[in-house]
């Protein structure tokens, strides 16, 4: 156990606890608990220790690409710690609550094969199209992925409507674009997103006459009823297996913004790409996570019949200053909970450098973070 922890946190079903923990943890995943599919050395020890002490924690990741239930099973196996979806928030989890699009047609971008489509359908979205579906139906839509057609044809589905510029009223219309996970084919996905954003009201195969019209305010781009564009994860970089950080979904967004700027008028007078970016460090993700943590804590400490008192502090343990630390530092909880950012050196952040956003504490790894936090609680 952590050297400094006293037995008063040691609570089991049998022995009456002497003190209900008023603090909890939010753990980032990539770079803190795992590096891609490899668990980090002291991740198991950290989570199983907290479970033995009945100190609540949630996993809060900008990753995704699988349904929460599947990812949680994977992580439980890898980390050898029982986990469930009540303590797990990934980049696109908040998309599940966007009921206004459930009966509309959405374009889902990113992830392996069409696994993100499957996630969206499990969330309740009824009509889900992927860029792969469009390429398989109309290979000419993106000339440079013809070599990938055999890959796509393994899992793509027929489009719910054709792309027929001569008959816009019966053509495929996209009502919202969601980037669920890192695109595997940046070229195709960029082309298809561009086609939707410059179309007439999201009708594929059309071109809004408003786009490019300099006489219109903001040149009319994305002002002709085109669908909104949601990104689930802002990370420009993330800690994968390779020893140096890899480009994340934020890298794809930056590339798309570059193409968009040139399409809409070049470096100088290009038009800002309208989009909604979710995920850490943005407030909606932390609000969503805090609500989950509070209800998970109540369930975990249910033997106190709801008299668990107020959650005073959440230790946000992460490896990426731009998402975990910035998010933890800037989040102001409506419940008055203090979010304390703790930066580990096992991921994106390089030991000895000045982090772009200063954490409350810099430690070696996740076990050091747990011991430091528990010692703070005295
Ligand atoms: O795609 C995952 C990457 O962006 C970082 O994930 O767990 O470090 O928030 P995580
Ligand atoms: Mg991370």
């Amino acid at each position: 156990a952590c050297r400094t922890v006293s037995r008063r946190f040691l609570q089991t079903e049998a022995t009456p606890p002497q003190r209900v923990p008023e603090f909890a943890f939010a753990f980032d995943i990539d770079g803190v608990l795992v590096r891609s599919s490899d668990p980090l050395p002291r991740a198991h020890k950290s989570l199983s220790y907290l479970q033995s002490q009945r100190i609540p924690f949630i996993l809060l990741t900008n990753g995704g690409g699988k349904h929460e239930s599947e990812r949680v099973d994977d992580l439980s196996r890898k980390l050898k710690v029982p986990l469930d979806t009540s303590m797990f928030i990934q980049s696109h989890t908040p998309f599940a609550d966007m009921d206004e699009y459930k009966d509309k047609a959405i374009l889902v971008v990113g992830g392996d094969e069409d696994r993100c489509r499957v996630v969206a359908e499990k969330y309740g979205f009824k009509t889900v199209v992927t860029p792969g579906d469009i390429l398989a139906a109309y290979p000419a839509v993106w000339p440079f992925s013809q070599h990938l057609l055999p890959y796509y044809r393994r899992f793509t589905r027929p489009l719910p409507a054709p792309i027929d510029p001569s008959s816009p009223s019966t053509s495929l219309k996209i009502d919202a674009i969601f980037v669920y996970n890192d695109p595997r084919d940046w070229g195709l996905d960029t082309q298809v997103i561009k086609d939707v954003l410059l179309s007439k009201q999201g009708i594929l195969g059309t071109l809004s006459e408003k786009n490019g019209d300099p006489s219109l305010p903001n040149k009319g781009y994305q002002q002709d009823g085109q669908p909104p564009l949601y990104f689930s994860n802002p990370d420009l970089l993330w800690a994968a297996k390779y020893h140096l950080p890899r480009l994340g979904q934020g890298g794809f967004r930056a590339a798309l913004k570059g193409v968009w700027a040139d399409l809409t008028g070049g470096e100088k007078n290009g038009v800002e790409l309208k989009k909604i970016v979710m995920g850490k460090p943005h407030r909606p993700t932390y609000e969503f996570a805090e609500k989950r943590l509070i209800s998970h804590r109540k369930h975990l400490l249910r033997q106190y019949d709801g008299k668990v008192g107020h959650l005073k502090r959440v230790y946000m343990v992460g490896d990426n200053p731009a998402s975990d630390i910035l998010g933890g530092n800037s989040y102001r909880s409506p419940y008055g909970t203090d979010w304390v950012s703790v930066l580990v050196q096992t991921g994106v952040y390089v030991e000895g450098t000045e982090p772009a956003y200063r954490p409350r504490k810099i430690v070696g790894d996740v076990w050091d973070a747990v011991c430091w936090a528990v010692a703070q609680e005295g």
Side-chain angles (χ1 to χ4, degrees):
C2 297
R3 275 187 307 287
T4 51
V5 80
S6 63
R7 288 185 58 76
R8 68 171 163 278
F9 286 126
L10 196 58
Q11 300 164 19
T12 59
E13 299 289 346
T15 51
Q18 289 153 28
R19 199 175 124 196
V20 178
E22 294 170 336
F23 66 107
F25 289 84
F27 291 109
D28 171 43
I29 297 180
D30 290 298
V32 174
L33 300 172
V34 299
R35 291 291 295 251
S36 285
S37 52
D38 299 342
L40 281 161
R42 301 203 290 185
H44 165 78
K45 178 178 183 178
S46 305
L47 300 188
S48 41
Y49 171 74
L50 292 175
Q51 289 189 333
S52 71
Q53 304 291 310
R54 302 177 73 70
I55 296 171
F57 64 83
I58 54 168
L59 304 185
L60 175 57
T61 177
N62 276 347
K66 295 175 183 168
H67 190 266
E68 282 70 20
S69 52
E70 195 182 337
R71 186 81 200 278
V72 149
D73 288 349
D74 289 350
L75 283 167
S76 289
R77 264 196 312 280
K78 256 177 226 137
L79 298 171
K80 298 187 180 59
V81 166
L83 300 167
D84 64 65
T85 51
S86 74
M87 57 210 288
F88 182 68
I89 297 104
Q90 52 183 2
S91 61
H92 45 72
T93 307
F95 288 172
D97 295 351
M98 299 173 91
D99 297 339
E100 66 271 35
Y101 296 110
K102 298 266 171 93
D103 295 326
K104 304 212 164 160
I106 64 169
L107 179 75
V108 164
V109 175
D112 286 323
E113 303 189 341
D114 74 335
R115 306 180 76 152
C116 288
R117 180 217 314 271
V118 172
V119 175
E121 289 175 337
K122 280 188 181 166
Y123 286 172
F125 292 91
K126 303 228 181 8
T127 308
V128 184
V129 173
T130 68
D133 295 341
I134 295 168
L135 182 76
Y138 299 92
V141 84
W142 178 243
F144 307 120
S145 286
Q146 307 303 304
H147 59 299
L148 296 176
L149 277 169
Y151 160 79
Y152 284 112
R153 288 202 167 117
R154 285 208 314 260
F155 54 83
T156 45
R157 291 199 207 147
L159 294 175
I163 296 178
D164 177 359
S166 66
S167 163
S169 60
T170 56
S171 259
L172 176 60
K173 180 178 185 306
I174 297 294
D175 297 303
I177 305 170
F178 291 92
V179 182
Y180 265 65
N181 192 247
D182 304 273
R184 275 35 176 192
D185 186 346
W186 283 25
L188 171 64
D189 295 355
T190 300
Q191 177 66 72
V192 169
I193 290 174
K194 172 243 173 243
D195 286 349
V196 176
L197 292 185
L198 292 185
S199 71
K200 244 196 211 60
Q201 267 112 63
I203 298 171
L204 269 172
T206 65
L207 187 61
S208 158
E209 59 277 358
K210 282 193 178 180
N211 287 311
D213 176 346
S215 68
L216 286 170
N218 198 15
K219 291 194 179 63
Y221 287 106
Q222 288 184 292
Q223 304 217 339
D224 193 6
Q226 287 91 347
L229 168 60
Y230 291 91
F231 289 94
S232 62
N233 168 5
D235 288 357
L236 181 62
L237 297 169
W238 67 296
K241 261 194 194 129
Y242 194 65
H243 65 289
L244 297 175
R246 300 297 78 191
L247 286 172
Q249 191 182 130
F252 171 70
R253 191 181 83 239
L256 178 69
K257 271 170 65 177
V259 169
W260 180 261
D262 279 17
L263 279 170
T264 61
E267 289 291 302
K268 293 191 193 30
N269 51 5
V271 169
E272 182 62 23
L273 173 66
K274 277 197 288 193
K275 64 223 173 273
I276 303 107
V277 184
M278 299 169 78
K280 298 173 290 179
H282 301 300
R283 180 179 174 77
T285 296
Y286 280 85
E287 276 175 343
F288 188 91
E290 185 173 54
K291 284 198 188 93
R292 276 291 183 85
L293 177 53
I294 289 168
S295 55
H296 170 68
R297 176 172 178 262
K298 275 206 186 87
H299 176 72
L300 182 75
L301 303 174
R302 57 193 174 285
Q303 81 256 37
Y304 303 110
D305 302 329
K307 296 185 216 49
V308 291
H310 174 60
L311 177 62
K312 289 205 167 62
R313 241 168 326 288
V314 176
Y315 291 91
M316 173 72 225
V317 182
D319 71 298
N320 187 338
S323 64
D324 308 309
I325 306 309
L326 173 59
N329 288 351
S330 36
Y331 179 57
R332 295 292 166 265
S333 161
Y335 307 98
T337 307
D338 179 23
W339 281 64
V340 179
S341 62
V342 186
L343 181 60
V344 297
Q345 297 167 356
T346 50
V348 168
Y349 168 67
V350 177
E351 184 178 349
T353 61
E354 183 56 32
Y357 301 94
R358 275 219 64 73
R360 215 67 82 81
K361 179 75 179 168
I362 298 180
V363 293
D365 71 352
V366 62
W367 177 245
D368 298 326
V370 166
C371 290
W372 176 76
V374 168
Q376 299 303 303
E377 297 300 321

